[in-house]
Structures are given as C-alpha cells and as structure tokens.
Amino acid sequence: MKVAVIGDSRGIGAALREQLLASGAEVIGVSRTGVQRPADAHSANYESLVFDAVAHPCDLSGFATQLDGLVYCPGSISLKPLRGLKREQFLSDLEVNYLGAVQTLQANHKLLQAAEHASVVLFSTVAVGTGMPYHASIAGAKGAVEGLTRTLAAEWAPAIRVNAIAPSLTDTSLAEPLLNSDAKRTAAAELHPAGRIAAADEVASLAAWLLSPAAASMTGQVLAVDGGMSSVRK
C-alpha cells in the first residue's frame, strides 16, 4: 500500500506515518520543513518531501504511479470571540484546513483513481457538531471539510472512499498553548466524559484503519474521537 501523508512532520501526521511504516506501507510524507528520520528497517519505504501543500497544489505524480491512500493533516487552532476575529483569520483557516485539502485532492485524483481501492482521510473537529464558544473561524473551516467529505464520497464512489475524523483537543504540539500547564491539562481533561485528552497515536490509529481494507464499507463518514464530548453528558 502506498500512502501520501500531507503534513507528517508532527502530531497526528507524524504518528500516522510511523504506524503505516511499521505495517509495511510505503509512505510519501509532505511537509513544509521535511522530516529527518534515523536509518531503520522502514527507511526504504519512506520518502520525505519539503513542500508547502497549503500554498501550492501538491502533485505527487512524479513520485508515484498510484496512491492507495491520501491523508491531509494540516490544521489550525484559532480560538477567539467573534468580535475579535478579523476577515484575514477566517481566510487563513479556510486556506489551511479546506482549500489546501481541495487542491491536494484535485492534484492527485488521477493517482487515487489508478489504485484498485483508494481511501482519503480528512480532519474535522468536534466543534462542528457541538457548539463551543470561540470556535467560529475553525468550526466554519472544518464544517466545509465535512461537506467536502460527504460530497466527494458520493462523487468518487465506488472507486475512492472518503472519510473524516473529528477529534476534540488532542495532545499535539499544535495544541500546546492550550495544554502548557498542569491546570490547563486538568481542566481540558475534565471537559471530556472520558476524563482524558486523546494522544496523537490514538487518532492516527483510526486514520490507519480507515485507509485499510478492514474499512472497505466506510465512506462519507465523520468519525468522532472526542472522549464522548459530542454524545455524552456527565
């Protein structure tokens, strides 16, 4: 299986890269900074590309003849009251979370079509389906991602499956400003009925499953990894 992981330098993307390589998959990792991995048994199956997939269409046809999977991981966390949000912030969140995904999928559609059964995984947020204060910009951008997920699942069926994962706050470097003290971590954990914050590996494991043949009947779905926030009340 050959999979492109867009945004694999940190967080969920990095965790997914390592899980896929450990499973024997070939991985093309794309990030703005590149990834320096130590030599190991999986290094021959990994190609790291330095490229800004948000700013420019990321055409991988020079590196693969087909893609069995594509995962778009870039994201942002911009939490402000509506009155404090500028137009530029809305546009930035749309560009990173939605338009970057759109142009990446457009650029690599033929590679996905060339695979026998391809799978696409995108990322939303629990804040789309569950109202949360200060999430106007990011929830709007991720809401567009959920619409794209369902649209492409219909448009590209049955050859290409398209699903999204909607996490709550996850323990990654992107969320570090929200988790950079014991008090913040405790408060964040207590918001979740599960009483904990998800690790990047946990979310990555769901993405890996969605890419696999075990998820062959899954398409057009937005799956929550949110510690029960969207469906449980304590």
Side-chain angles (χ1 to χ4, degrees), residues 111-135:
L111 293 179
L112 292 165
Q113 282 183 311
E116 186 174 359
H117 300 290
S119 174
V120 171
V121 179
L122 304 176
F123 283 91
S124 181
T125 171
V126 63
V128 174
T130 301
M132 297 181 178
Y134 314 128
H135 282 70

Side-chain angles (χ1 to χ4, degrees), residues 40-51:
D40 59 26
H42 308 309
S43 59
N45 288 340
Y46 178 62
E47 186 154 13
S48 178
L49 307 181
V50 179
F51 190 85

Side-chain angles (χ1 to χ4, degrees), residues 181-204:
S181 72
D182 290 342
K184 287 182 180 180
R185 283 183 169 273
T186 298
E190 288 177 349
L191 290 174
H192 297 75
R196 60 187 302 276
I197 301 163
D201 280 341
E202 297 172 68
V203 183

Side-chain angles (χ1 to χ4, degrees), residues 51-111:
F51 190 85
D52 188 344
V54 174
H56 309 283
C58 181
D59 183 353
L60 297 173
S61 58
F63 303 92
T65 57
Q66 70 176 54
L67 287 175
D68 301 286
L70 189 152
V71 185
Y72 184 84
C73 299
S76 57
I77 300 178
S78 304
L79 306 184
K80 293 182 180 179
L82 183 64
R83 66 179 179 276
L85 285 168
K86 306 295 186 183
R87 182 175 187 270
E88 290 74 19
Q89 186 63 64
F90 284 97
L91 292 175
S92 176
D93 281 342
L94 278 169
E95 185 176 40
V96 171
N97 295 279
Y98 176 68
L99 294 175
V102 167
Q103 66 186 12
T104 297
L105 292 170
Q106 287 177 324
N108 295 287
H109 184 216
K110 289 183 179 180
L111 293 179

